Amino acid sequence: QSPSMRIAILCFALGVWLLQRQAALPAGDAPALLAAVLAGLTFTAWRLRGRWRLAVVCLAAALAGFAWAAALAQWRLADRLPAEHEGRDIRLSGVVAGLPQPYENGLRFEFAVEQADAAVPSKISLAWHAGQRPEEDDASPLLFLPSLHAGERWQLTVRLKRPHGNLNPHGFDYEAWLFERGLRATGYVRPSEGNRRLDAFVWRPAYVVERLRETIRERFRRTLPEQPYAGVLVALAVGD
């Protein structure tokens, strides 16, 4: 790489950093305006020579970094759950995008939405609470859950809400954690006869990796069912 190219890369990174330092994103039409200015600077740099050309290239690179970061941020924020769709039943289909995480009364899992009967984010976090199924020979209901695995395609009826969480000083920021993972809504699966598995596995590279991670985790659990260090070994092996 030539020295001017290295300087341009640094200026691009500087532009990204400047965007991150702003208290608010530019207005919605700002990226288009920045793109027009950037085109003008690029044409000017092509006509110039010497130090003036380098100065214009640096300015254009910084502007490109700023505009790129702003457009990416607006695109991410646009993938959100409309307020009018909170707390209502929504039928959707998609793929279990990560390792299902069991908890005391159910499962939590990331879900990549493919189709929905309402506007919803492309990736959401769902909980499936254990239901109750009465047995014919026993008057007491038994808790049950479906067998859920990474990479499966499901049709579900869910209720969603926009992400939010309590934030204490120096504490865990749950809302920021969801945002970093691209999870733009949380919710739970509603009891419905339409909840069903559509495909046993969706062949995509990311889902292949998640299914392999799940297979390794289950082998650890079967081999070391009661060992207190089993969870540590799983975490070290597959990052769960």
Side-chain angles (χ1 to χ4, degrees):
Q1 294 179 351
S2 64
S4 59
M5 179 62 70
R6 297 191 188 98
I7 295 174
I9 293 173
L10 291 175
C11 290
F12 183 91
L14 177 63
V16 174
W17 178 81
L18 287 173
L19 185 280
Q20 300 297 330
R21 301 298 299 172
Q22 303 306 305
L25 290 176
D29 56 351
L33 177 61
L34 292 174
V37 175
L38 180 60
L41 289 174
T42 303
F43 177 76
T44 302
W46 178 70
R47 298 291 300 272
L48 294 174
R49 293 291 183 270
R51 293 182 179 179
W52 285 107
R53 181 178 186 179
L54 179 60
V56 175
V57 167
C58 290
L59 180 59
L63 185 62
F66 188 92
W68 177 80
L72 193 63
Q74 289 180 349
W75 171 76
R76 172 67 71 87
L77 291 175
D79 185 30
R80 64 181 181 271
L81 179 70
E84 61 270 19
H85 293 163
E86 286 190 300
R88 52 163 288 195
D89 287 356
I90 299 174
R91 175 169 292 184
L92 46 79
S93 62
V95 182
V96 180
L99 297 182
Q101 301 293 335
Y103 64 99
E104 183 178 0
N105 293 318
L107 290 170
R108 291 189 179 90
F109 57 98
E110 296 180 5
F111 196 72
V113 179
E114 295 178 326
Q115 293 181 337
D117 60 10
V120 299
S122 58
K123 193 175 181 182
I124 58 180
S125 175
L126 293 175
W128 198 325
H129 305 304
Q132 291 187 334
R133 177 175 56 193
E135 299 294 327
E136 294 181 358
D137 299 331
D138 188 353
S140 63
L142 299 177
L143 294 179
F144 76 98
L145 277 170
S147 177
L148 201 68
H149 301 285
E152 293 179 339
R153 178 178 281 122
W154 280 78
Q155 176 180 285
L156 301 171
T157 298
V158 303
R159 282 191 179 178
L160 301 175
K161 63 180 180 181
R162 287 179 289 184
H164 64 84
N166 297 325
L167 178 60
N168 295 318
H170 311 294
F172 177 66
D173 191 338
Y174 178 63
E175 188 173 346
W177 181 84
L178 291 172
F179 187 79
E180 290 168 359
R181 297 181 64 85
L183 300 170
R184 302 292 287 132
T186 63
Y188 61 94
V189 179
R190 293 276 291 163
S192 172
E193 295 181 355
N195 294 338
R196 59 191 178 94
R197 183 186 293 108
L198 301 178
D199 292 299
F201 189 70
V202 177
W203 287 96
R204 294 177 187 169
Y207 302 148
V208 171
V209 172
E210 293 301 320
R211 180 61 68 88
L212 288 173
R213 293 176 69 225
E214 184 179 0
T215 301
I216 295 171
R217 182 180 69 175
E218 293 309 312
R219 287 182 178 178
F220 271 106
R221 289 179 174 176
R222 289 196 302 267
T223 305
L224 305 169
E226 303 296 333
Q227 299 299 327
Y229 53 79
V232 177
L233 294 177
V234 172
L236 292 173
V238 297
D240 177 34

